[in-house]
Amino acid sequence: MQRAGPEEAAGAQAAAGGGSAAPAGRLLRRELRLLESIFHRGHERFRIGSACPDEISCEFVPGTADRAGGSAARGPPPGPVRIHCNITESYPAVPPIWSVESDDPNLAAILERLVEVRRGDTLLLQHLKRIISDLCKLYNLPQHPDVEMLDQPLPAEQSTQEEVSSEEEDEEMPEDSEDLDHYEMKEEEPADGKKMEDEGIGKENLAILEKIKKNQRQDYLNGAVSGSVQATDRLMKELRDIYRSPSFKGGYYAVELVNDSLYDWNVKLLKVDEDSALHNDLQILREKEGADFILLNFSFKDNFPFDPPFVRVVSPVLSGGYVLGGGAICMELLTKQGWSSAYSIESVIMQISATLVKGKARVQFGANKNQYSLTRAQQSYKSLVQIHEKNGWYTPPKEDG
């Protein structure tokens, strides 16, 4: 998936028929009403679970009885394919941002192909039409007839006296009020949608999510907003997905926010391949120092998910495992060239864990712990990118894993 540049976004906004946020917001509300009327929560193929002006949660429900084709066809997944969409205030000039709760590269490819969809006023509807059609093809299912209903005219706008008064107030408010609306939307989310969003998350982690939202609101009121709406929405979604994840609940890794910042994560790798030398080293480390995990730090910028997080090893000091000086990690997917906005943070965490084992990482007992630092890791990462931009990336033979 790609981000629209300033010129491209401006062109799309002009084509959409206006530069003000209010008409675009009304158009989006009409799109959402049409979506919910077609793909309700009892729909047999595609369901809108929750929908608000900045985020949509939905799921594709693959059936088995109406599958076309023979045994060679790709079988449906064991359960629903859960899909999330974040919509920025610049919609439709800036396209919706999609993500899927799966590591299946075929699903990521479907989302990445959305850049081919021609932009227009109803970009959200056209994206969903493409997604549903491609998912039906992927799982060898017949195209559902309701998909064509996405091309019908949008329902008329339902203007009430309350909305008219609200619009008059908006005209009197400063431009920055749009950012405040973003946080208010989150608090006014429908109860049913919030229940679906929070499903499968423990009470302790729900409390963390609520604290983050409260802090964001307070930061805004104090004039100390950090990050971007786009990155914040996606990171909140990533954190919710992690809290629901079987791998997280199974103790394979843990996540802590540094100083309650959504843009700075400490990730502990608690379990690695038990047959690896690294696993044995961690057992020894527990006896020596009382810690048997690898601590990683993930740092996110305002343009996430279009740029990858900066990831480094904090402790212990490792040799091998594609870990560079300062703790930087030599992985193509952590560079702009290898990154995709469709990647989930959990998939990155699990890939790093596998890469450390594959690269025969070992704990360096007695090493100077001060040799790992953010500054040194950034320097190593910068050199790494320059080298690979010039020489490309080495792909090891299959027998090497």
Side-chain angles (χ1 to χ4, degrees):
M1 199 160 316
Q2 300 174 358
R3 176 173 58 179
E7 296 179 0
E8 184 181 1
Q13 189 166 353
S20 75
R26 291 196 293 268
L27 175 66
L28 177 58
R29 287 196 293 270
R30 293 166 65 192
E31 286 188 87
L32 294 178
R33 283 207 305 273
L34 178 60
L35 276 178
E36 291 179 304
S37 68
I38 300 173
F39 298 111
H40 49 82
R41 292 179 184 171
H43 196 275
E44 61 184 356
R45 179 64 70 233
F46 194 80
R47 301 168 182 171
I48 302 295
S50 63
C52 57
D54 57 357
E55 185 171 9
I56 301 173
S57 293
C58 47
E59 59 182 25
F60 179 84
V61 185
T64 55
D66 55 352
R67 279 185 60 195
S71 59
R74 177 188 177 92
V81 178
R82 291 186 172 85
I83 303 168
H84 299 275
C85 174
N86 292 108
I87 305 171
T88 69
E89 296 173 352
S90 302
Y91 175 84
V94 175
I97 304 167
W98 297 90
S99 57
V100 61
E101 293 184 17
S102 173
D103 296 333
D104 187 342
N106 293 293
L107 298 178
I110 287 176
L111 299 185
E112 290 176 352
R113 287 198 295 271
L114 292 176
V115 296
E116 303 168 1
V117 177
R118 184 177 180 180
R119 295 193 179 188
D121 288 352
T122 58
L123 185 58
L124 174 63
L125 300 183
Q126 296 309 308
H127 271 194
L128 272 173
K129 181 179 180 181
R130 179 68 173 269
I131 289 172
I132 298 171
S133 297
D134 284 357
L135 285 172
C136 286
K137 291 177 183 176
L138 177 64
Y139 298 119
N140 203 39
L141 298 168
Q143 293 295 331
H144 200 283
D146 288 353
V147 173
E148 298 305 321
M149 296 175 67
L150 293 172
D151 291 327
Q152 66 180 293
L154 294 177
E157 185 171 7
Q158 301 173 349
S159 252
T160 64
Q161 184 61 40
E162 182 179 350
E163 288 176 344
V164 171
S165 300
S166 176
E167 288 173 11
E168 292 176 351
E169 291 175 3
D170 288 343
E171 293 177 357
E172 299 173 359
M173 292 177 69
E175 294 180 0
D176 290 345
S177 65
E178 291 182 8
D179 289 332
L180 181 58
D181 289 341
H182 167 72
Y183 297 106
E184 290 175 345
M185 284 177 192
K186 291 296 185 181
E187 294 179 357
E188 297 171 1
E189 193 170 347
D192 290 344
K194 182 172 179 56
K195 183 177 180 181
M196 179 180 177
E197 183 180 86
D198 294 344
E199 185 178 355
I201 301 178
K203 291 182 179 180
E204 181 180 345
N205 295 323
L206 281 175
I208 294 175
L209 294 173
E210 288 302 319
K211 183 177 181 180
I212 293 171
K213 293 179 182 179
K214 182 178 179 181
N215 288 345
Q216 289 171 348
R217 171 81 176 178
Q218 191 60 47
D219 286 346
Y220 179 84
L221 295 175
N222 294 337
V225 176
S226 60
S228 65
V229 171
Q230 161 193 287
T232 296
D233 283 347
R234 178 61 179 268
L235 286 168
M236 284 292 286
K237 182 260 175 193
E238 293 287 346
L239 197 55
R240 283 196 301 271
D241 289 348
I242 282 174
Y243 287 156
R244 284 195 295 261
S245 163
S247 296
F248 175 81
K249 294 180 179 179
Y252 285 86
Y253 66 93
V255 174
E256 298 175 356
L257 302 186
V258 180
N259 296 323
D260 294 327
S261 170
L262 192 57
Y263 289 76
D264 193 3
W265 298 15
N266 277 343
V267 176
K268 294 179 180 179
L269 299 182
L270 303 173
K271 294 182 181 180
V272 298
D273 187 349
E274 294 183 355
D275 295 328
S276 66
L278 180 59
H279 176 268
N280 294 333
D281 285 352
L282 291 176
Q283 302 308 305
I284 298 173
L285 186 67
R286 178 173 60 185
E287 296 175 1
K288 289 178 173 290
E289 301 181 13
D292 59 349
F293 56 83
I294 296 170
L295 180 61
L296 307 174
N297 180 261
F298 281 62
S299 177
F300 302 91
K301 294 183 179 179
D302 295 357
N303 53 359
F304 180 81
F306 298 104
D307 279 355
F310 179 71
V311 186
R312 64 187 179 98
V313 177
V314 177
S315 66
V317 177
L318 302 175
S319 64
Y322 305 101
V323 179
L324 307 176
I329 302 175
C330 179
M331 290 178 64
E332 185 177 12
L333 71 81
L334 295 177
T335 67
K336 288 186 178 181
Q337 299 95 320
W339 176 256
S340 167
S341 61
Y343 291 157
S344 69
I345 297 304
E346 180 179 72
S347 66
V348 174
I349 292 172
M350 302 307 287
Q351 184 61 45
I352 291 174
S353 179
T355 298
L356 292 175
V357 172
K358 175 184 173 183
K360 300 179 174 58
R362 299 297 302 270
V363 175
Q364 292 297 291
F365 297 102
N368 180 8
K369 298 178 181 180
N370 293 329
Q371 63 181 281
Y372 278 4
S373 68
L374 175 59
T375 301
R376 286 198 61 194
Q378 290 174 332
Q379 292 172 348
S380 297
Y381 175 81
K382 185 176 180 180
S383 299
L384 163 77
V385 171
Q386 291 174 343
I387 292 171
H388 286 296
E389 281 181 347
K390 181 178 180 180
N391 302 320
W393 287 84
Y394 168 70
T395 302
K398 291 184 178 179
E399 56 267 23
D400 289 348

